[in-house]
Amino acid sequence: MLGSPCRNIYTPRERPQRNGWDFFNGLLDVDRELHAKLAAVGASYRRYSDDILVTCKRGQVHEVEALVAGVVGSAHFKIKQSKTLRVAFRN
C-alpha cells in the first residue's frame, strides 16, 4: 500500500481544504472581524501578509490576546507563539 503511514483525518469543519482564493478570502474575513472587534474596545489592528500587529492599552493585553486567538482560531488559522512578540511602549 502506498501513502503516508501517519495520516491525520479531519472533518471538513475541523480542517477545511483551502485553495489560494479560499485562503485569501479567509484572511479578509479575519481582517474584517478583528478590525471591528478591536476597534470596539479601543485597540487597533494591522496586517501585512501573514503578520499581524495589534496595539492596545496595557490593561487590555489579556482581553485583546484572547479576542485575537478566538477569531483566528475560529477561522482555522493558528498563531505561532514562537513568533509572537509583546512590546510595551513608554510615554
Side-chain angles (χ1 to χ4, degrees):
M1 180 162 96
L2 297 175
S4 173
C6 299
R7 194 176 124 192
N8 292 324
I9 308 278
Y10 297 95
T11 65
R13 180 149 168 72
E14 292 172 326
R15 182 81 184 255
Q17 297 298 314
R18 291 192 171 104
N19 63 33
W21 287 111
D22 290 338
F23 181 79
F24 178 72
N25 287 329
L27 284 175
L28 289 178
D29 292 342
V30 168
D31 287 340
R32 288 183 193 105
E33 188 172 354
L34 281 176
H35 179 75
K37 288 184 175 184
L38 290 168
V41 297
S44 66
Y45 167 80
R46 298 285 184 268
R47 179 176 62 83
Y48 177 77
S49 188
D50 64 345
D51 297 323
I52 64 172
L53 170 68
V54 176
T55 56
C56 65
K57 295 180 182 173
R58 289 180 193 218
Q60 295 178 298
V61 172
H62 297 294
E63 172 191 4
V64 166
E65 283 183 348
L67 190 151
V68 170
V71 171
V72 170
S74 69
H76 304 284
F77 291 104
K78 292 183 180 179
I79 295 175
K80 289 190 175 182
Q81 291 300 321
S82 63
K83 293 177 67 178
T84 300
L85 177 64
R86 291 163 190 87
V87 177
F89 295 100
R90 293 186 214 187
N91 293 338

